[in-house]
C-alpha cells in the first residue's frame, strides 16, 4: 500500500479528467458524469483510491472522463474485473459503469454473480433501452415492438426489468434515478456508496440519437409528479401533483392499487408504508409501470450483509492465524520426505 | 523388469518393475497406488506414476467404463516414465481385467481377485465366457485369490457391515503386493491412522487387512511362476526428496514465484478437469497470502485475475483447453493493457469436450495464436511433475518483469502423475521483486523500460498517478486512446518486440543428450520429456547417434534454437497432438522437421520413440 | 419436414436408450430420468420429434439415456443451442437439461435470456447445490458455509434461489419438484409441457456422493407434511401433518406468516389463496425456507404469453406476405444498376 | 489523376480521380460520398470507395476525432483500390482539414467551407493559427467558399430552421462536385425524394441545395487552378452493374448459398462493428426465409446457429475479432459434432478492442488455430467487396458438403468499401443441395461419405434416426461416446483428413498476373487484392518480372500452392497484420517467404506495394 494522505478538500473540478468528452450532444450521459463529479467531493473520497471500471458501450467511456483511476475493459466483464480489484485491494473505492447491453446482455451472468456475492462497490447501470455504441440495435430493456436496425419489424422479446432482475439475483441494495434529476441521482449515489455491499443504481438515461424520449412518459416535468413515486423508508407511498394519490395493498392479496386520498374514505394511514428491507415488496414496486402506476424511484431495497471480499479475506486471516504465515520451505517438506545422502 | 522371473525362496533382485493396480472406481485403486508409491519412494527407488481415472463420473460398479487404474514404475536406476507396459497387473474385478490385460507384457503376472468374478460381474464387463477358464490367461502367470473372502476373514473381529468390511480389500491387496516387492507397511499404517483418526475402528480394520495380505504372502505357498522380489535403491542425487504430482508442484511454484516477486496471488478459477486440483490446493494455502476465488465462469475467472493485476497483485487463472478457448478475448485485454497474468492450461484431450480425463498437448497453437489481432504473449511448458514448480516460477518471473500474460502449459499426465522430487530450497532462487511506479513526474501509463520494453505498473491507490487504461489502442507517448495509424503500427511492433526480447533473458537451448553432429535430433516440449529421454537413451545405447532437446520456452523460442536445429540433418518432433510445435519450428526456422504424432489420450511409450527414431533415420 | 406418422401408443420403454447409465449408485438423477421416461408416453409425444439438449455436468448426461434425439453440448450453453433448434424447427418438442452449475453459474446469462424470451420449450434444472461432475466444488446454490474442495473454510457467497432468479428474469412458468417425489414431478413435467412458452422446473436432486442430504430437511417422508407446501391454483395455502397450518398475509404488509387453523380464531378463509398469475406472490413464495416456513412446491407462477419463436417466425411470414417470396436475382438488381453493353 | 491540371473552359478529360469528402460526423459525408459514388457508377466509370468513420460514437461537433471521411476513386480504366492519396479534398470544417490535409497529393485541390472556419471551430480542431491564412495551404490549389451561407441562401424559401437548413450543405457541396466532375444529379434527386417521401419539404430543400451547388459551378468564376473535368467511361466487361459494399454482398451471398443448398438460414448474431450491418441487411430480408436472431451475446449467437444446424437449417453467425475470440469453444463443438456452420469474421484492428472502426487482417491465425485441441476447419477469404458474394457462397458450399464449420474472413475495408459489381445471374451457379439421411438401416450419426469423409446429416424429426451427439469423442464405428485411445487417434486423423481433402474440391491456385519464371511472386489474401494487383501491374509496366497470386482458400491451401511457390526464387507476402499467412506458407511449404506488414488500420497504398517489390528484389 502506498502511504495515504488524509484527503484534502476536493471539488468537482478535481474529478474532471483532461480527456475530451466523446458523447453525442444532448446525451444523458453528460448529466450522469456531472452528477458523479459533483457527488464525489461530497463523499470525501480521494482521487487515488477511487476506481471506475466499465465494459464497452457509450456509457462505458465514462472512466476516461474521471480524473481517478479507471479501466475501460471488455464488453460485459466489468463486474468480474471489479471483483478482482476489490480482492486485491479492498480499500479501493470501486464504481462499476455499465449499460443495458453491457450489463444485461453479454454481461448478464457477471451482473448476477456480482450482486448475489455482495461485493462492496457501486454499480451504475445506464439504461437507455438501446445499444448506443453499435448504432442503435434494440437491447434487453427495449420495449416490445422496438424498431431498430436489427428488428425492422419490431422487437419481440419481453424486456427485462433491471431492478426486478437484480432482486431476483439476490441484490441487497437496489435503487433508481433519472439522468437529469440531479438531486435524486446525487442522493442515490450517496446511498449506494454508503451501503456496505453492492449498491446498484439504475439510471434511466436518454439516448437522443437512437432512442430519444424512451422515458419521457415519466420524466417530463409537467407530468412527473403523477408518474413518479419517490420512495422513502418508513414513509407512506404518496405521489401526484397535490400529493393526493397513493399505493395501497389490495386487501387480502399480494397486489397494490392506486388510490386517492380523501376518496372513499381513504386516508394516508391506509397507504402502504415503504419498507426498504422487504424484498417481495421491492419486487412488486420494481414492476410498476405507467400508465396504470407511477414508476418507483429511489431506494427500492436495501438490506446490508457481510461483503464478499470482507468474508473472503477474513478467511485468509483465519488461515494465517491458525497455520501461521506460510513458509514455502516448510510447505515443500510437509508430509512424507526422505533423504538420499551422498555416499 | 526385463529380468523378471519366478523365484520361490530368496527375494530375487530386479532392476525395474511396472505394476498396474486396476479395479472398480469404488475399489480404492488410486489410494492403493498412492500408498504403494509413497512406500516405494521411501525405499529410495526412482519412480514415476500414471493414474488413469474413469471418465467423469462414478459409474455403476462392475462396468468397464468404471475401471480406475494406477500404474507405477519403480527401479534401481533413474527412470522418467510410468513404463510402457505393466509387468504386473492387479485386477480386482472382471472389468479391470478386460480393460487392462491387453497392455500386460507377454509372460507378465496377473493378480486376480476371483471373488469378484461372479457371473453378474462377468456380464457387466462384457465377457461371454469366464476368462479364468477359457484360456485367456494362458500367456500369463496368474495368482488367483478370493481377496474378497480373505479380507472379510481378516477384518471379521471388527464387526463392520459386509460393505464396510469389503472396502478393506484394497488394503489387503496392498499388503500382499508390499510383501511381494518388499515394501515397508509403516507409512501406510501411519497414514491410515491419520486419515481415520475419528473412526479408529475403520483404521484398525484397514491395518488388519494390510497386515493380513502381507502375512498371506509370507505364509501361503505361491503357484509356480510367482515369487517375491526386491528392487534395490536407485542412485539418486543427494538431497531430501518427496513425491509430487504436477498440479501440486504447479500450485507451490506459483506461490514461490509470487513470493520471489513480492506479490500476493489472486487466483480466479472455474473448476475443470484436470486443472481443478490446483484451485483446491491453493484454496488450502491461504496462509501464504493466496486469495482463491471460484468465479462464476471461465471468463469471470480470468477477468478477476486481470482486475487483481491491475490493482497490484499477481492475477492467476487456471484451466484446461475449453476454458482457454473462452478466455481468449480477456487474454487480449491483458496483452493490450500490458498487465502481468499467469494462465495455467492443464491440457487434455480435445477438440471440444473431447476426452476430459485424458492427456494431450493440443493447446499449443491456441496458446500461441488463439486471440484476435496481433496479440503476442509468452508461453512456457513444464516437462515433468516436479518441473512444474520451476516452470511456474519462470512464468511468474516473465509475467512480472515484462508486464505480460504468460501461458504455462502442463497436461493431464503431469497434473496427476507423480515422481520423486528433490526438494529445492527457496534460498537458491534469486528474488525478482516487482516494482511499482510512485514517481509522478513524467508519468504516463505506457512509459516503458527501455531494456525490457515493459510498461510501468502504477497501482490504484498511488497518489498522483491516476490514469485510465483499456482495450483500445493507446498512444505510445501518452497512453491515451489513439486512433493514429502510425501509432498503431508502432504499438503493434513494440508489443511484439517486447515478447521477442524475452529471448535475451532465457537460457539458450541445450541438448539434453547427444551432441551437434549426431545424425538426428529429437525435439520435444512438455510432458513428453520422460518418454523421449528414455527413448533416446535406449537408441544411443544401441549406438544410434541421436540427440535430444526439450523446449521449455515456446514463445519466444530460445535465441540459438534455429542454429541448433540447422546443425542437424534430421529433426523429429514427437508430440501428443496432430503436429503443432513442428509447425512453429518449420515456419520460424525453415527446417524440415517431421512430426511423430500420437493423439490417443496417453503418453508416448518409450518404445514408440525408439521405433520412430529408427524409422526416421532410415527414411 | 419429414412425414410424420400419427404417434403410436408408446410406453416408458420406448424412451429408454441403449446406453448404459453412468451416474453414481443412488444418484437422484435416476429418479428424474425415470419420471421423464414414464411421463413422455402420457404426453402422447413421438420419439422423433422429441429433443433433449443439455450442457455439461452429471445431469447433462441425461440425453444419452433417452431414446429420442439428443445433444450434449458445452457447459452452460444448452439454452442458446435449444433456441436455435426451435427457430429452425418449432415443431420439435425440446427439453433443456441443466444443473445448478451449468445453468446458474457459467450459463446464467443464457438462462436469463431464454426465460425472458419465453421460447416454447421445457427446461429442467437439476439442483443438487453442488458441482457433481468436477468432484464436488460448491455451486451458486450451495448454502453459505459449504465446505468443498475449493472452499475448505466454507463458502461465503449468498446462494441464488433459482425460482426467485427465474422470476426476476421474467420467467412465465416457474415450478418446483423433488427428485424422488415421482407424482409431483410427473405432474410438473406435464404442466411445463402444456405451457406455451418456457416451462421451468427446478428439481431438488440429491447427490449422495458430494452433497448427500442437501434437501432432507424438507424431503424426508416423516416431516414432509410440515415442511412442504404444495401449491394449487385457487386453493388456500395449507400444509402440515393434519393440514392444520397455513400461510396468511401479515396484515397491511407484503409479508406472510405461518398460522394454525383453529388458533386465535383463524379459519381457512383467512389463508392466502394461491394465484399462479401473481408474480410478486410467486417471488415471495420462492423465498420461503425451513425452518420458519415450508418450501413451496408445485407451480409457483404461470402466466402464458406469445412464444418467442412463434412471434419471430410470424415476422418472416409477414415479410413474405408483404414482399413476396424472395427472388435473389431481383434482389441483386434492386436499386441503382446500369448496363455496360459489349461494344 | 496524374494528368490533373487547371482548365477554365471546356472540360478536361482525366483518366482517374481520387476525391475525399471530409467533414464532421454530423455533416453527412457518408451520404455525400455514397451519392457521388452512385452517380459515378451510373456514368460507367470503374470505381472503389473507402469510408472512414470516426471511432465508435458521435463526437461533439468540430473535434478531430469526430471527423468522418469518404474517399472515392473513379477512372476510365479498371481500378481496384480507393486510391493512395486524394487529388481533391473536400473539407467541411477545420477539423476535417486538419486530419486529412497531410494525405492530399502535392498540388492537389482543396475545397473548403470557409463558413465553418470560426475561431471556436479552429480551436476545437487544435489549430493555433488560421490555416486559411498562415500558408498551410500554399502547396495546394484551393477553392474557398462559404458553403454554409450559400446553402442557407439556396434553401431560404423553404423556411426551415437554421439547423435544418444547414443540414443541406452536404447536398450543395455534392452539387458543386457533380458539376466539377460532370456527374448526373438525377439519381440523387430520385433518392432524396424516396428517402424523404414523408417530408417532401425536406426533400425539396435538399434538391434545391444540390441544384444550387451545381449552378454555382456553372456560373461562378473559378479561381485559377480550379477547372471542370470529365472522366470517360471505363471499358468494363458487358453486363449489368451495381455498386455494392462488402457487407451487402456477404449478406446476399449467404442467401444465395443457402438457396443453392436448399436450406433456410438461421443467423445468430450479436452486434459488433464492423459486422453489424450484415445482421441489419439480413434482418430486412426475411422473405428469403432467413431467420435473424439477435442473441444475448457472442456465445449464444454461435450456439443458436449450431442448434439450428443440428435441426437441419444452415446456422450462420457474423462477428468481428473479439467476437471470434469468444466463440472458440463453441466452434470446437461444431467441429466435434461435424455440423455445417458459417462464421463470418469481419476483421478489424486488434488486439482486444483495438481499433474497432479500422481495417486489419489479424484474425487469420485465430481462424486457423484459435481453439482447444486439434480442431481443423475450413477458412475462406474474400478479396473485394463484390467478391464477398462468391466467397460467401463458397463458404456455404463447403460447410454443407463437408459438414464442417467454415470461417469466412472479410474485413472493415471490404465491409464498408464499395465497388461496381457485375451482377451475376443465379442460373449460372450450380446448386449443391444438402441431403438429409432418412434411411434407418445401418444408420449411426458418424457414418461417413467415403469420398468427402462428411458425416451423415440426420435431422431431428426423422423417424427411426433418433440419436445423441455431443462434444465428447465419438466412436468411429458407432457414433457413441468412446474413450478408446486408438479411436481418438483415428477420429482426430479423420477430422483432419476431411478438411485436408477439401483441397481436391477447390480450384488450383492461379496467378493473377505474371508467370512462373518471374523473379518474384507476391502472395496476398483477402482485401489486399486491389492494392497488390495494382502495385504489381505498375511494377510490371516498369519492366519488373513480378507475378501475383491471391489466395482464397486458407484452410486447406490449394493443392498446387507448394509447387507454385517453389517455382519462384523470391516470395513477398503483404499483409495488414504482423505476419500470419507468411507463417502458414513457411511452415507448410518450407519456402523463404518474406512479409510486408502494415498494421495501421488502413489498406496498403499501391505505392507501398510497388516499393516493397522493388526493395525485395534488390535484397
Ligand atoms: C465481444 C464483443 N461483442 C460485441 C461488441 C460490440 N458492442 C460494443 S458496445 C455494445 C452494446 C452497447 O450497449 P449498452 O451497453 O447499452 O451501452 P450504450 O452504448 O447504450 O451506452 C456492443 C454490442 C463488443 N465490443 N465486444
Ligand atoms: C468451459 C468449461 N469449464 C469448466 C468445465 C468443467 N465442468 C464440467 S461440469 C461442471 C459443473 C457441473 O455442475 P452442475 O451443472 O451443477 O452439474 P452436476 O454435475 O452437479 O449435475 C464444470 C465446472 C467445462 N466442462 N467446461
Ligand atoms: S449514441 Fe446515444 S447513448 Fe451513445 S453517446 Fe450518443 S446519445 Fe449518448
Ligand atoms: S457425483 Fe453426484 S450428481 Fe453426479 S452422478 Fe454422482 S451422485 Fe449423481
Ligand atoms: Mg444502452
Ligand atoms: Mg449440480
Amino acid at each position: 500500500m502506498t502511504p495515504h494522505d488524509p484527503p484534502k478538500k476536493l471539488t468537482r473540478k478535481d474529478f474532471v479528467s483532461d480527456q475530451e468528452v466523446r458523447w453525442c450532444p444532448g446525451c444523458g450521459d453528460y448529466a450522469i458524469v456531472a452528477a458523479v463529479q459533483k457527488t464525489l467531493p461530497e463523499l470525501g473520497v480521494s482521487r487515488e483510491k477511487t476506481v471506475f471500471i466499465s465494459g464497452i458501450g457509450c456509457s462505458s467511456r465514462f472512466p476516461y472522463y474521471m480524473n481517478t483511476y479507471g479501466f475501460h475493459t471488455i464488453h460485459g466483464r466489468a463486474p468480474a474485473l471489479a471483483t478482482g480489484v476489490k480482492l486485491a485491494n479492498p480499500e479501493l473505492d470501486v464504481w462499476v459503469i455499465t449499460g443495458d447491453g453491457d450489463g444485461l446482455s453479454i454481461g448478464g451472468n457477471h451482473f448476477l454473480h456480482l450482486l448475489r456475492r455482495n461485493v462492496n462497490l457501486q454499480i451504475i447501470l445506464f439504461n437507455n433501452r438501446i445499444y448506443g455504441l453499435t448504432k442503435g440495435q434494440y437491447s434487453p430493456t427495449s420495449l416490445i415492438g422496438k424498431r431498430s436496425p436489427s428488428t425492422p419489424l419490431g422487437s419481440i422479446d419481453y424486456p427485462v426489468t433491471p431492478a426486478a432482475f437484480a432482486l431476483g439475483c439476490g441484490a441487497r441494495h437496489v435503487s433508481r434515478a433519472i439522468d437529469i434529476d440531479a438531486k435524486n441521482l446525487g442522493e442515490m449515489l450517496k446511498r449506494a456508496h454508503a451501503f456496505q455491499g453492492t449498491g446498484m443504481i439504475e439510471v434511466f438515461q436518454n439516448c437522443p440519437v437512437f432512442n430519444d424520449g424512451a422515458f419521457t412518459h415519466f420524466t417530463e416535468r409537467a407530468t412527473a409528479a403523477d408518474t413518479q413515486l419517490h420512495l422513502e423508508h418508513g414513509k407512506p407511498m404518496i405521489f401526484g401533483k397535490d400529493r393526493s394519490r397513493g399505493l395501497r395493498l389490495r386487501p387480502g392479496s399480494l397486489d397494490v392499487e392506486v388510490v386517492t386520498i380523501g376518496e372513499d374514505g381513504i386516508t394516508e394511514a391506509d397507504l402502504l408504508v415503504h419498507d426498504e428491507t422487504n424484498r417481495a415488496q421491492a419486487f412488486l414496486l420494481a414492476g410498476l409501470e405507467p400508465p396504470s402506476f407511477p414508476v418507483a424511484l429511489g431506494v427500492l431495497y436495501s438490506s446490508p450483509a457481510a461483503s464478499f471480499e470482507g468474508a473472503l479475506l477474513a478467511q485468509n486471516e483465519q488461515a494465517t492465524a491458525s497455520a501461521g504465515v506460510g513458509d514455502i520451505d516448510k510447505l515443500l517438506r510437509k508430509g512424507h520426505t526422505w533423504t538420499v545422502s551422498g555416499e | 523388469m526385463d529380468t523378471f522371473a519366478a523365484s520361490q525362496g530368496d527375494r530375487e533382485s530386479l532392476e525395474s518393475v511396472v505394476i498396474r493396480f486396476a479395479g472398480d472406481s469404488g475399489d480404492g485403486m488410486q489410494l492403493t497406488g498412492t500408498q504403494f508409491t509413497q512406500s516405494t519412494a521411501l525405499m529410495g527407488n526412482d519412480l514415476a506414476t500414471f493414474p488413469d481415472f474413469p471418465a467423469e463420473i462414478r459409474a455403476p460398479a462392475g462396468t468397464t467404463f468404471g475401471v480406475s487404474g494406477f500404474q507405477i514404475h519403480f527401479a534401481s536406476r533413474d527412470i522418467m516414465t510410468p513404463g510402457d507396459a505393466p509387468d504386473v497387473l492387479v485386477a480386482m474385478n472382471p472389468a479391470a481385467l478386460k480393460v487392462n490385460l491387453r497392455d500386460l507384457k507377454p509372460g507378465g503376472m496377473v493378480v486376480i481377485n476371483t471373488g469378484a468374478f461372479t457371473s453378474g460381474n462377468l456380464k457387466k464387463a462384457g465377457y461371454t465366457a469366464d476368462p479364468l477358464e477359457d484360456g485367456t490367461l494362458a500367456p500369463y502367470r496368474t495368482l488367483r485369490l478370493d481377496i474378497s473372502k480373505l479380507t472379510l476373514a481378516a477384518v471379521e473381529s471388527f464387526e463392520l457391515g459386509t460393505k464396510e468390511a469389503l472396502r478393506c480389500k484394497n488394503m489387503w491387496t496392498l499388503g500382499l503386493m508390499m510383501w511381494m516387492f518388499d515394501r515397508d507397511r509403516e507409512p501406510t499404517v501411519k497414514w491410515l491412522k491419520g486419515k481415520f483418526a475419528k473412526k479408529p475402528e475403520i483404521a484398525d480394520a484397514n491395518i488388519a487387512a494390510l497386515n493380513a495380505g502381507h502375512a498371506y504372502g509370507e505364509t501361503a505357498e505361491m503357484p509356480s511362476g510367482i515369487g517375491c522380489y526386491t528392487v534395490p535403491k536407485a542412485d539418486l542425487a543427494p538431497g531430501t526428496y518427496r513425491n509430487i504430482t504436477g498440479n501440486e508442484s504447479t500450485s507451490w511454484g506459483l506461490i514461490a514465484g509470487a513470493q520471489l516477486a513480492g506479490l500476493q496471488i489472486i487466483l480466479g478459477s472455474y473448476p475443470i478437469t484436470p486443472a481443478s486440483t490446483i484451485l483446491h490446493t491453493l484454496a488450502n494455502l491461504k496462509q501464504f497470502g493466496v486469495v482463491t476465488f471460484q468465479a462464476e465462469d471461465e471468463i469471470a475467472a480470468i477477468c478477476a485475475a486481470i482486475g487483481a493485476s491491475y490493482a497490484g497483485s499477481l492475477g492467476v487463472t487456471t484451466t484446461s483447453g475449453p476454458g482457454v478457448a473462452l478466455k481468449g478475448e480477456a487474454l487480449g485485454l491483458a496483452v493490450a493493457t500490458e498487465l502481468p497474468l499467469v494462465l495455467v492450461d492443464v491440457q487434455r484431450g480435445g477438440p471440444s469436450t473431447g476426452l476430459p480425463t485424458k492427456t494431450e498437448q493440443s493447446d499449443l497453437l491456441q496458446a500461441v495464436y488463439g486471440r484476435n489481432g496481433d496479440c503476442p504473449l509468452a508461453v512456457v511448458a513444464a516437462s515433468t511433475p516436479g518441473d512444474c514448480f520451476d516452470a511456474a516460477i519462470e512464468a511468474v518471473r516473465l509475467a512480472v518483469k515484462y508486464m505480460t500474460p504468460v501461458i504455462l502449459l502442463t497436461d493431464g499426465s503431469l497434473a496427476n502423475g507423480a515422481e520423486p522430487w528433490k526438494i529445492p530450497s527457496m534460498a537458491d532462487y534469486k528474488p525478482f521483486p516487482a516494482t511499482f511506479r510512485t514517481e509522478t513526474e513524467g508519468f504516463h501509463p505506457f512509459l516503458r523500460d527501455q531494456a525490457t520494453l515493459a510498461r510501468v505498473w502504477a497501482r490504484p491507490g498511488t497518489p498522483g498517478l491516476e490514469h485510465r487504461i483499456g482495450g483500445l489502442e493507446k498512444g505510445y507517448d501518452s497512453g491515451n486512446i489513439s486512433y493514429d495509424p502510425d501509432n498503431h503500427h508502432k504499438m503493434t511492433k513494440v508489443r511484439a518486440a517486447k515478447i521477442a526480447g524475452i529471448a535475451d533473458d532465457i537460457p539458450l537451448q541445450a541438448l539434453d543428450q547427444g551432441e551437434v553432429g549426431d545424425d538426428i535430433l529429437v525435439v520435444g516440449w512438455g510432458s513428453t520429456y520422460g518418454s523421449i529421454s528414455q527413448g533416446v537413451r535406449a537408441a544411443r545405447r544401441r549406438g544410434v547417434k541421436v540427440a535430444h532437446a526439450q523446449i521449455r520456452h515456446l514463445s519466444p523460442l530460445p535465441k540459438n534454437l534455429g542454429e541448433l536445429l540447422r546443425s542437424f540433418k534430421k529433426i523429429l518432433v514427437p508430440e501428443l497432438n496432430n503436429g503443432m510445435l513442428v509447425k512453429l519450428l518449420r515456419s520460424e526456422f525453415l527446417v524440415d522437421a517431421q512430426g511423430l504424432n500420437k493423439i490417443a489420450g496417453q503418453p508416448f511409450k518409450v518404445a514408440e520413440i525408439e521405433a520412430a527414431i529408427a524409422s526416421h533415420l532410415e527414411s
Side-chain angles (χ1 to χ4, degrees), chain B residues 494-512:
Chain B
V494 166
R495 284 186 291 261
K498 180 176 82 169
I499 298 304
I502 292 175
D504 293 326
D505 193 19
I506 58 176
L508 294 180
Q509 182 64 48
L511 290 178
D512 200 70

mmCIF file of all heavy atoms in Angstrom, chain B residues 494-512:
data_model
loop_
_atom_site.group_PDB
_atom_site.id
_atom_site.type_symbol
_atom_site.label_atom_id
_atom_site.label_comp_id
_atom_site.label_asym_id
_atom_site.label_seq_id
_atom_site.Cartn_x
_atom_site.Cartn_y
_atom_site.Cartn_z
ATOM 1 N N VAL B 494 5.933 -2.773 -31.018
ATOM 2 C CA VAL B 494 6.522 -2.746 -29.675
ATOM 3 C C VAL B 494 6.026 -3.938 -28.849
ATOM 4 O O VAL B 494 6.807 -4.588 -28.148
ATOM 5 C CB VAL B 494 6.164 -1.430 -28.944
ATOM 6 C CG1 VAL B 494 6.480 -1.539 -27.460
ATOM 7 C CG2 VAL B 494 6.942 -0.279 -29.557
ATOM 8 N N ARG B 495 4.753 -4.222 -28.942
ATOM 9 C CA ARG B 495 4.237 -5.383 -28.194
ATOM 10 C C ARG B 495 4.943 -6.658 -28.660
ATOM 11 O O ARG B 495 5.270 -7.528 -27.849
ATOM 12 C CB ARG B 495 2.721 -5.496 -28.375
ATOM 13 C CG ARG B 495 1.920 -4.491 -27.550
ATOM 14 C CD ARG B 495 0.406 -4.725 -27.631
ATOM 15 N NE ARG B 495 -0.129 -4.428 -28.934
ATOM 16 C CZ ARG B 495 -0.756 -3.285 -29.265
ATOM 17 N NH1 ARG B 495 -0.949 -2.333 -28.354
ATOM 18 N NH2 ARG B 495 -1.218 -3.092 -30.489
ATOM 19 N N ALA B 496 5.151 -6.757 -29.974
ATOM 20 C CA ALA B 496 5.828 -7.946 -30.494
ATOM 21 C C ALA B 496 7.289 -7.963 -30.048
ATOM 22 O O ALA B 496 7.816 -9.008 -29.652
ATOM 23 C CB ALA B 496 5.727 -7.978 -32.019
ATOM 24 N N ALA B 497 7.926 -6.806 -30.090
ATOM 25 C CA ALA B 497 9.342 -6.740 -29.733
ATOM 26 C C ALA B 497 9.547 -7.067 -28.255
ATOM 27 O O ALA B 497 10.536 -7.686 -27.871
ATOM 28 C CB ALA B 497 9.888 -5.348 -30.050
ATOM 29 N N LYS B 498 8.611 -6.647 -27.435
ATOM 30 C CA LYS B 498 8.728 -6.922 -26.002
ATOM 31 C C LYS B 498 8.759 -8.430 -25.773
ATOM 32 O O LYS B 498 9.617 -8.937 -25.028
ATOM 33 C CB LYS B 498 7.552 -6.291 -25.243
ATOM 34 C CG LYS B 498 7.606 -6.527 -23.751
ATOM 35 C CD LYS B 498 6.485 -5.806 -23.010
ATOM 36 C CE LYS B 498 5.198 -6.590 -23.062
ATOM 37 N NZ LYS B 498 4.177 -6.043 -22.138
ATOM 38 N N ILE B 499 7.858 -9.135 -26.394
ATOM 39 C CA ILE B 499 7.826 -10.589 -26.212
ATOM 40 C C ILE B 499 9.049 -11.228 -26.863
ATOM 41 O O ILE B 499 9.709 -12.082 -26.266
ATOM 42 C CB ILE B 499 6.517 -11.183 -26.785
ATOM 43 C CG1 ILE B 499 5.299 -10.606 -26.042
ATOM 44 C CG2 ILE B 499 6.523 -12.705 -26.687
ATOM 45 C CD1 ILE B 499 5.300 -10.798 -24.543
ATOM 46 N N ALA B 500 9.392 -10.782 -28.063
ATOM 47 C CA ALA B 500 10.566 -11.347 -28.731
ATOM 48 C C ALA B 500 11.828 -11.129 -27.893
ATOM 49 O O ALA B 500 12.699 -11.992 -27.828
ATOM 50 C CB ALA B 500 10.734 -10.717 -30.119
ATOM 51 N N GLY B 501 11.884 -9.990 -27.210
ATOM 52 C CA GLY B 501 13.057 -9.653 -26.412
ATOM 53 C C GLY B 501 13.283 -10.562 -25.226
ATOM 54 O O GLY B 501 14.391 -10.630 -24.672
ATOM 55 N N ILE B 502 12.235 -11.258 -24.818
ATOM 56 C CA ILE B 502 12.388 -12.204 -23.703
ATOM 57 C C ILE B 502 13.450 -13.252 -24.048
ATOM 58 O O ILE B 502 14.099 -13.816 -23.165
ATOM 59 C CB ILE B 502 11.023 -12.852 -23.366
ATOM 60 C CG1 ILE B 502 10.072 -11.799 -22.787
ATOM 61 C CG2 ILE B 502 11.181 -14.023 -22.408
ATOM 62 C CD1 ILE B 502 8.661 -12.309 -22.536
ATOM 63 N N ALA B 503 13.644 -13.471 -25.336
ATOM 64 C CA ALA B 503 14.644 -14.461 -25.765
ATOM 65 C C ALA B 503 16.028 -14.137 -25.217
ATOM 66 O O ALA B 503 16.853 -15.036 -25.035
ATOM 67 C CB ALA B 503 14.669 -14.548 -27.298
ATOM 68 N N ASP B 504 16.281 -12.867 -24.935
ATOM 69 C CA ASP B 504 17.587 -12.494 -24.370
ATOM 70 C C ASP B 504 17.691 -12.817 -22.889
ATOM 71 O O ASP B 504 18.748 -12.651 -22.288
ATOM 72 C CB ASP B 504 17.814 -10.983 -24.545
ATOM 73 C CG ASP B 504 17.960 -10.611 -26.008
ATOM 74 O OD1 ASP B 504 18.527 -11.438 -26.764
ATOM 75 O OD2 ASP B 504 17.497 -9.521 -26.389
ATOM 76 N N ASP B 505 16.591 -13.214 -22.315
ATOM 77 C CA ASP B 505 16.517 -13.337 -20.864
ATOM 78 C C ASP B 505 16.226 -14.773 -20.445
ATOM 79 O O ASP B 505 15.869 -15.039 -19.308
ATOM 80 C CB ASP B 505 15.403 -12.391 -20.387
ATOM 81 C CG ASP B 505 15.408 -12.182 -18.885
ATOM 82 O OD1 ASP B 505 16.436 -12.458 -18.250
ATOM 83 O OD2 ASP B 505 14.357 -11.769 -18.351
ATOM 84 N N ILE B 506 16.335 -15.694 -21.379
ATOM 85 C CA ILE B 506 16.074 -17.098 -21.069
ATOM 86 C C ILE B 506 17.293 -17.892 -21.497
ATOM 87 O O ILE B 506 18.068 -17.446 -22.344
ATOM 88 C CB ILE B 506 14.796 -17.621 -21.785
ATOM 89 C CG1 ILE B 506 14.912 -17.472 -23.300
ATOM 90 C CG2 ILE B 506 13.563 -16.886 -21.265
ATOM 91 C CD1 ILE B 506 13.736 -18.054 -24.072
ATOM 92 N N PRO B 507 17.450 -19.076 -20.927
ATOM 93 C CA PRO B 507 18.646 -19.863 -21.265
ATOM 94 C C PRO B 507 18.667 -20.234 -22.744
ATOM 95 O O PRO B 507 17.616 -20.408 -23.358
ATOM 96 C CB PRO B 507 18.498 -21.134 -20.420
ATOM 97 C CG PRO B 507 17.481 -20.810 -19.385
ATOM 98 C CD PRO B 507 16.598 -19.750 -19.942
ATOM 99 N N LEU B 508 19.859 -20.359 -23.276
ATOM 100 C CA LEU B 508 19.982 -20.894 -24.622
ATOM 101 C C LEU B 508 19.501 -22.336 -24.608
ATOM 102 O O LEU B 508 19.558 -23.018 -23.583
ATOM 103 C CB LEU B 508 21.441 -20.825 -25.078
ATOM 104 C CG LEU B 508 21.999 -19.411 -25.255
ATOM 105 C CD1 LEU B 508 23.456 -19.466 -25.703
ATOM 106 C CD2 LEU B 508 21.157 -18.616 -26.254
ATOM 107 N N GLN B 509 19.049 -22.805 -25.748
ATOM 108 C CA GLN B 509 18.565 -24.177 -25.812
ATOM 109 C C GLN B 509 19.763 -25.132 -25.706
ATOM 110 O O GLN B 509 20.710 -25.041 -26.487
ATOM 111 C CB GLN B 509 17.821 -24.428 -27.122
ATOM 112 C CG GLN B 509 17.243 -25.830 -27.228
ATOM 113 C CD GLN B 509 16.171 -26.083 -26.169
ATOM 114 O OE1 GLN B 509 15.276 -25.273 -25.983
ATOM 115 N NE2 GLN B 509 16.270 -27.198 -25.453
ATOM 116 N N ALA B 510 19.681 -26.029 -24.730
ATOM 117 C CA ALA B 510 20.748 -27.011 -24.564
ATOM 118 C C ALA B 510 20.293 -28.363 -25.078
ATOM 119 O O ALA B 510 19.102 -28.601 -25.265
ATOM 120 C CB ALA B 510 21.110 -27.112 -23.089
ATOM 121 N N LEU B 511 21.240 -29.225 -25.324
ATOM 122 C CA LEU B 511 20.901 -30.609 -25.659
ATOM 123 C C LEU B 511 20.861 -31.410 -24.367
ATOM 124 O O LEU B 511 21.764 -31.335 -23.537
ATOM 125 C CB LEU B 511 21.953 -31.191 -26.605
ATOM 126 C CG LEU B 511 21.929 -30.603 -28.024
ATOM 127 C CD1 LEU B 511 23.053 -31.218 -28.858
ATOM 128 C CD2 LEU B 511 20.576 -30.843 -28.685
ATOM 129 N N ASP B 512 19.823 -32.152 -24.209
ATOM 130 C CA ASP B 512 19.668 -32.979 -23.022
ATOM 131 C C ASP B 512 20.553 -34.222 -23.117
ATOM 132 O O ASP B 512 21.103 -34.700 -22.129
ATOM 133 C CB ASP B 512 18.201 -33.386 -22.915
ATOM 134 C CG ASP B 512 17.842 -33.816 -21.531
ATOM 135 O OD1 ASP B 512 17.810 -32.951 -20.637
ATOM 136 O OD2 ASP B 512 17.610 -35.030 -21.341
#
